[in-house]
Amino acid sequence: MIAPALPPQLHVFVRDWLSSNNIVLKGGDGAVVIDSGYVRHVPLTLALLASRQGLDGAPLAKLVNTHCHSDHMGGNAAIARAYGCPIALPASEAPLIEAWDTKTLLLDYADQYADRFVVDETLDAGATYVWGDLEWQALAAPGHDMAALVFYNPEHRILISGDALWRNGYGFVMPPEIDPDAMPATRATLEMLSTLDVRVVIPGHGDSFTDVEPALERAFKRLTAFEADSQRMARHALKVLLTFALLDRRQMRLADLPAYVDRVPIYRDFNARFFGLAPSELATTLVGELERVGAVRRSGDFLTPG
Ligand SMILES: [Zn+2]
């Protein structure tokens, strides 16, 4: 696939599923970086930002987050330290960060981590910001994260979508039993995105893409399937989290997984609420389903990313 054309002052470092993409916008008012990756990848993130395609020695005027999940804000503290820049994030995330609410932020609650940092500025849905000499409308995109924003540039018809829309789906959404507002919000967000005139989506994970309509169709289809089945949503969330843990640790001992899903609170809470399985049964179910789609592999006594 040929990378879609983007304005020259905009560069996307495409990362993986452990770290979100990093978007660099260079402009007359200084450079802005959107999303900072996962804490384990901080050395790589700093190296990319220092590189020629990154800031190349220029100062950083601002670090922005689309939302406050560990894979988007894990490098915040290190980047703010390295560049002495302010951090701006969605206004509704600010109280969670200020309180360091690690349950709502899905940090230790989900066996994910980030270094604590200070919020310097908040971003409001409906406001327009100039980053990289381009105007970006901040639009509320609740669902996967109820406080998330996306950023839309009408001139070049670019959407920075975070985890609200990927080429294949979107970030996992909490089942209605956990947050009754999350699924309706996801649908409303996809409907809002459908009304935008978008040429290129720069997602939080994966390459930028121009086939926006099929991506929206896939997202709606997935949403409809999940709306009918809370247990499936809950299983999907745990599979996403287990895959993330595996990418973080590189491997996990199969024999340790029952204790792991019994110890990490979100697995324990979801198991009690949705499945009522013995920890070993839950581990076997999750691993089996991930193996079938090639997301994980067994090698000897260990589970590794697929
Ligand atoms: Zn996310």
Side-chain angles (χ1 to χ4, degrees), residues 104-122:
T104 309
L105 292 167
L106 298 178
L107 293 174
D108 49 6
Y109 183 68
D111 188 33
Q112 299 187 7
Y113 302 91
D115 292 327
R116 198 166 176 172
F117 59 90
V118 173
V119 181
D120 300 290
E121 294 170 28
T122 56

Side-chain angles (χ1 to χ4, degrees), residues 95-153:
L96 303 177
I97 296 297
E98 276 151 13
W100 205 241
D101 178 351
T102 59
K103 181 174 182 190
T104 309
L105 292 167
L106 298 178
L107 293 174
D108 49 6
Y109 183 68
D111 188 33
Q112 299 187 7
Y113 302 91
D115 292 327
R116 198 166 176 172
F117 59 90
V118 173
V119 181
D120 300 290
E121 294 170 28
T122 56
L123 306 169
D124 296 312
T128 297
Y129 301 95
V130 177
W131 301 325
D133 298 330
L134 299 167
E135 286 194 358
W136 298 93
Q137 298 173 357
L139 303 169
H144 162 69
D145 181 317
M146 293 304 282
L149 294 174
V150 296
F151 305 114
Y152 175 58
N153 171 257

Side-chain angles (χ1 to χ4, degrees), residues 66-72 144-145 162-163 166 171-172 205:
T66 55
H67 65 292
C68 289
H69 284 157
S70 68
D71 51 329
H72 294 254
H144 162 69
D145 181 317
D163 290 350
W166 300 331
F172 78 84
H205 301 271

Side-chain angles (χ1 to χ4, degrees), residues 255-278:
D256 293 343
L257 286 177
Y260 180 81
V261 301
D262 200 32
R263 171 172 60 79
V264 178
I266 192 167
Y267 298 85
R268 205 172 50 220
D269 289 356
F270 274 35
N271 192 19
R273 187 115 196 195
F274 296 99
F275 313 119
L277 295 171

